Amino acid sequence: MDNLPLELTAKIASYLPREDSNGALVRPNISSVSRQWKSAIEMITFRELKVKSTELAEFAANFSGSKSHRRGLLKALGFSIVLPDYSNADCAIYESNQDRLVNDKVASDAVAALFDILSTWGSHRDNAVELIIDAYSPMDAFYCGFDKRAQDERAARARIRADLFALRYKHSYIRIADVDKLPTVPCIKALYLDNGDRHFYPGSVVALAAKTPTLEQLIWVYTEPDVYLTLRRIIRDELFQWLMTFGLARSTARSLEIDINSHVYHDNQRLPDMTPPWQYDPLCAALHHSIGSKVKTLSYRGPLDAALFWPYGELQGPREPFWSSLTKLEVTFSAASPNGRWYFKAPPDHESHIHPSNEPLPADQQVSPMPPGYGTEEDTDAAYAYELAAREMPGGDNSEFRTVPDDEVMLPLLAAFARAAAQMPALKNAYLATPVPEPQSVWFVLYGAPGITCGGEELMVAEGEPEPPLNTPRVYFGVGDWRPSAEVVDLFRRVGEERYMQDTNVVFLA
Amino acid sequence: MATNQSLKLQNTFRPNGRVFEVERSAAEHSAVVRMLLEDFDEPDLLVTIIPISIDTSDDTLAKVFEWATHHKNMPKPALDDDGDRDEVVTIQLASWDDEFFSDIDSETLYGILIATNYLDIKPLYDMAVQVVVNMVRGKSTKQIREILGITSDFTAEEEAAIRKETAWAYDGEEVPNETS
């Protein structure tokens, strides 16, 4: 088979399993059969690579000099930052400020070293790489090995071992420092910082994105500190600054996926007001301004303020269209708004219609201690006590009664959504939804441009209605018996007038 | 449409290639033949000799058409099925196919790969690829060369380095034992 075309050799290589039945790697021996087989195996081997920060020297060597052609093969690079080990005794205590400083330094150095290497790769659109970054310590519960983990869990259950497992670093956020000193890396087309076990400061994601001038796709997952409002505010304030400085790959991004895991509150809990005392949430407003004109698809899941859509006054607004390439907008929002108000309330005939939790937390409860591990032992004890109290359901009641929109909170959101839709010249589909208690389960508004289905059509047919014509812009409300104000409905109608010089067909689904 | 019609195919890669008369339902395993039947006037194709140009022997082509004839009633993949797979899936050969490949030498296997790739006969192509994979997996580099009839163009040092860096790419695993 000396003369087998490379295409066929590559096909055979693609069928080779990674390991044989005895667990031995199959491809290394075949890669050294001949130059042709080496090329074929390389196409598989170096297409997707996982590299630890401790292996950067090998990584650089395997992609430089006579091996630099492999840069063109690499499509996805998983980069794991290996954080320092910690002792068995430390498994029982939360990470300290000193631990976080050390982790930040290790992570910052690792990212700097990686960017130094990648910055020499040049810019080739066809050869651009998807970069996925995560972090772990070899002592972390999911990385210390199955046997040790099982043994530790057994010992913890038997109360002969104290171990917080992943709780040890639950409240820690890894900050990539000195990002301004990093070289730009023009070979990254997608960036994702994995916030699985170890969290990254969301501001670090924004800053790193600014160093990747060819970035087309950003997947950004951020898990908020749950009950610890003070840390939540610190991170939000920092994130606001980063967004206002750098945006989200404003000049290149085509796809943005923003996923903010926020604390889930019970219906009878009062919410913190995370916004300063003016009319809108600065973080959502900053996000609005951070989204560039090339973004085609935007997916946002998290706490939502009207400012994401319209951070302007009602009668003001940009004269020029914004998000001008956006064709698909998907927003799933939490019923708890960032300004301390719920988007929903109990129905008028419900005993909880007027409920104290309809109002934000009183001012004296808008602050919290820092999480465990951020101060002295006494501070950690105080944090425990605070967390226990904060997690307690008032009256032990976890019933779900917030089923009807609170006009005062919901109507401005819908108005902003409609105003924004009218400003987006390329918008084909939009989706604004939030989970609500059964039986409705999802409360939503759908928009479809002329000629484009948006899902509402199928729902109409399912309800036994005739299939609606697609030649007009359409808005479908899946909002139960509730109706928005005439003014808001009129704003939705005007989306069609603005963009297509025809009324929007507004439909309320049963 | 009658299914017992025959098509005549001749390999024109070398002079005086054999003319194969293949039942239409067997020949339709080839996506290339099916596209010809769709694109050109069928009666013409049924009476003329369809030229194919494949760098393989008539004996190898005979094996390909033997397989196609045996499986003439097997459903054919859609023409727009590119056969690409995201995951490595091991193909289990049925007993007839196992027997079919059992007495084939590596040169003929090579020819079948070339021919099925040209004619776009996906099931046989996939099986031939799987047979090669079965032959080489778990073997040392030296054994693989012997099985596939390949001459090394590496020095011993280059060989060792390539094995090492390939193993590194798989999560830094150990280099497999060359003598295994």
Side-chain angles (χ1 to χ4, degrees):
Chain A
M1 294 199 181
D2 263 345
N3 300 321
L4 205 60
L6 180 60
E7 178 197 357
L8 292 185
T9 316
K11 176 82 174 178
I12 296 166
S14 75
Y15 273 51
L16 287 165
R18 177 193 161 99
E19 291 169 359
D20 215 341
S21 52
N22 60 6
L25 288 172
V26 168
R27 292 167 190 160
N29 280 353
I30 300 182
S31 66
S32 52
V33 163
S34 68
R35 289 183 197 281
Q36 173 145 330
W37 281 92
K38 172 178 170 276
S39 297
I41 295 292
E42 274 186 343
M43 288 182 203
I44 313 291
T45 303
F46 293 104
R47 188 171 53 202
E48 293 179 6
L49 207 55
K50 285 185 182 172
V51 176
K52 299 186 188 89
S53 54
T54 49
E55 304 170 329
L56 278 175
E58 292 97 320
F59 173 66
N62 275 320
F63 285 85
S64 59
S66 62
K67 299 162 190 168
S68 57
H69 64 281
R70 290 175 179 164
R71 297 171 185 176
L73 303 175
L74 188 66
K75 299 300 171 209
L77 174 63
F79 181 61
S80 292
I81 299 166
V82 182
L83 302 172
D85 255 331
Y86 47 91
S87 67
N88 268 309
D90 282 348
C91 290
I93 54 174
Y94 285 93
E95 280 189 343
S96 66
N97 291 336
Q98 182 60 30
D99 292 329
R100 274 182 286 279
L101 281 175
V102 172
N103 286 344
D104 289 352
K105 174 81 170 67
V106 169
S108 302
D109 289 349
V111 170
L114 175 70
F115 272 46
D116 277 344
I117 294 168
L118 295 180
S119 67
T120 64
W121 283 25
S123 173
H124 300 286
R125 189 183 165 86
D126 292 339
N127 297 346
V129 174
E130 293 175 18
L131 176 62
I132 302 158
I133 302 178
D134 69 352
Y136 71 92
S137 160
M139 273 299 277
D140 288 356
F142 286 95
Y143 295 89
C144 63
F146 180 81
D147 290 345
K148 179 179 181 338
R149 186 178 157 204
Q151 190 183 344
D152 290 350
E153 284 176 346
R154 275 197 303 275
R157 274 196 300 274
R159 297 180 184 276
I160 54 176
R161 176 185 171 85
D163 198 327
L164 290 167
F165 298 103
L167 273 179
R168 171 177 156 76
Y169 38 87
K170 180 188 173 189
H171 304 297
S172 297
Y173 290 82
I174 297 166
R175 187 195 304 265
I176 310 297
D178 295 329
V179 177
D180 54 323
K181 292 179 188 156
L182 293 179
T184 56
V185 177
C187 65
I188 294 176
K189 69 174 176 186
L191 177 65
Y192 170 43
L193 269 70
D194 187 345
N195 275 258
D197 273 352
R198 293 280 186 170
H199 308 310
F200 289 92
Y201 254 95
S204 294
V205 181
V206 176
L208 285 183
K211 288 292 178 177
T212 54
T214 49
L215 192 70
E216 292 185 0
Q217 184 187 19
L218 178 64
I219 300 173
W220 177 27
V221 180
Y222 160 48
T223 302
E224 283 193 321
D226 46 16
V227 297
Y228 294 100
L229 305 179
T230 302
L231 180 59
R232 207 192 292 179
R233 285 200 174 87
I234 290 170
I235 293 175
R236 282 172 63 91
D237 290 348
E238 182 186 290
L239 179 56
F240 170 77
Q241 296 297 337
W242 283 110
L243 283 170
M244 293 309 284
T245 307
F246 293 115
L248 284 173
R250 212 180 264 135
S251 59
T252 56
R254 285 171 167 74
S255 168
L256 293 175
E257 195 176 319
I258 302 167
D259 194 346
I260 300 177
N261 296 310
S262 57
H263 182 58
V264 178
Y265 290 91
H266 297 289
D267 277 10
N268 60 359
Q269 281 186 303
R270 296 177 75 167
L271 304 175
D273 181 358
M274 304 307 292
T275 62
W278 61 69
Q279 65 188 83
Y280 53 69
D281 172 25
L283 189 57
C284 280
L287 276 171
H288 174 93
H289 294 296
S290 299
I291 295 163
S293 60
K294 289 185 179 168
V295 173
K296 286 186 169 179
T297 61
L298 169 62
S299 167
Y300 177 88
R301 190 182 70 84
L304 179 66
D305 184 88
L308 177 69
F309 303 122
W310 198 261
Y312 316 102
E314 271 185 31
L315 301 175
Q316 304 166 316
R319 293 178 178 209
E320 299 297 320
F322 57 79
W323 301 355
S324 53
S325 299
L326 194 71
T327 60
K328 189 173 184 182
L329 171 65
E330 291 183 345
V331 177
T332 305
F333 64 102
S334 114
S337 85
N339 64 16
R341 299 285 303 273
W342 287 92
Y343 278 109
F344 293 84
K345 58 186 179 182
D349 56 351
H350 192 282
E351 60 181 6
S352 299
H353 179 62
I354 298 171
H355 195 274
S357 59
N358 289 352
E359 295 302 318
L361 279 170
D364 64 338
Q365 293 176 38
Q366 292 280 355
V367 290
S368 75
M370 290 295 276
Y374 276 77
T376 62
E377 279 184 34
E378 290 74 28
D379 293 332
T380 291
D381 289 343
Y384 283 140
Y386 168 81
E387 185 169 341
L388 278 176
R391 290 190 184 285
E392 202 171 297
M393 286 175 291
D397 177 16
N398 66 347
S399 62
E400 296 179 316
F401 55 79
R402 297 189 177 277
T403 56
V404 180
D406 184 337
D407 285 4
E408 211 177 296
V409 193
M410 183 64 84
L411 289 178
L413 176 69
L414 292 181
F417 180 62
R419 285 194 179 98
Q423 290 295 114
M424 297 179 223
L427 190 65
K428 303 291 182 205
N429 276 131
Y431 171 90
L432 176 69
T434 184
V436 288
E438 295 292 342
Q440 195 178 347
S441 73
V442 185
W443 188 98
F444 61 86
V445 182
L446 304 171
Y447 167 75
I452 307 291
T453 57
C454 63
E457 300 79 17
E458 285 173 31
L459 294 168
M460 278 189 76
V461 172
E463 288 176 2
E465 299 288 332
E467 197 165 337
L470 290 181
N471 58 352
T472 59
R474 282 142 289 118
V475 168
Y476 298 91
F477 283 91
V479 296
D481 296 331
W482 179 80
R483 293 293 177 266
S485 64
E487 291 78 12
V488 166
V489 173
D490 193 48
L491 284 171
F492 279 100
R493 288 220 167 84
R494 274 193 266 161
V495 176
E497 282 173 25
E498 186 72 32
R499 300 262 59 94
Y500 303 101
M501 294 199 291
Q502 54 179 317
D503 258 7
T504 309
N505 185 10
V506 176
V507 178
F508 289 92
L509 298 164
Chain B
M1 189 179 295
T3 55
N4 58 353
Q5 295 168 326
S6 291
L7 297 173
K8 296 184 184 67
L9 297 110
Q10 182 179 28
N11 191 4
T12 57
F13 191 82
R14 293 186 188 84
N16 305 317
R18 193 195 307 175
V19 176
F20 292 91
E21 195 160 334
V22 185
E23 281 185 68
R24 177 186 176 134
S25 54
E28 281 184 336
H29 270 298
S30 161
V32 171
V33 168
R34 267 194 288 163
M35 280 191 278
L36 282 172
L37 289 167
E38 279 185 8
D39 292 348
F40 294 94
D41 194 25
E42 283 195 28
D44 287 350
L45 283 176
L46 293 172
V47 294
T48 56
I49 295 173
I50 302 171
I52 50 178
S53 179
I54 312 172
D55 182 11
T56 191
S57 69
D58 285 345
D59 288 348
T60 299
L61 271 181
K63 291 296 285 181
V64 169
F65 294 131
E66 177 194 338
W67 180 91
T69 302
H70 181 82
H71 291 287
K72 64 184 180 185
N73 295 324
M74 190 170 97
K76 282 84 181 173
L79 283 176
D80 57 0
D81 178 5
D82 63 10
D84 280 353
R85 303 178 305 182
D86 290 336
E87 292 178 7
V88 176
V89 179
T90 302
I91 297 171
Q92 299 295 335
L93 269 58
S95 61
W96 189 92
D97 298 312
D98 204 23
E99 184 70 22
F100 173 82
F101 281 106
S102 67
D103 61 347
I104 283 178
D105 58 27
S106 63
E107 200 56 39
T108 308
L109 187 56
Y110 163 87
I112 289 174
L113 283 166
I114 300 277
T116 51
N117 186 44
Y118 176 96
L119 292 167
D120 199 0
I121 303 177
K122 285 195 178 70
L124 182 56
Y125 179 63
D126 284 348
M127 281 184 210
V129 169
Q130 187 64 55
V131 168
V132 178
V133 168
N134 293 347
M135 286 160 61
V136 299
R137 60 190 292 178
K139 302 290 194 298
S140 69
T141 305
K142 193 176 164 198
Q143 288 168 325
I144 295 167
R145 283 200 196 106
E146 285 168 6
I147 292 165
L148 300 181
I150 291 171
T151 313
S152 173
D153 48 7
F154 286 128
T155 63
E157 292 76 23
E158 284 175 325
E159 245 179 66
I162 291 159
R163 269 202 300 279
K164 190 176 173 191
E165 63 195 33
T166 307
W168 170 82
Y170 292 107
D171 216 10
E173 291 189 25
E174 288 296 307
V175 183
N177 187 353
E178 164 56 12
T179 56
S180 66

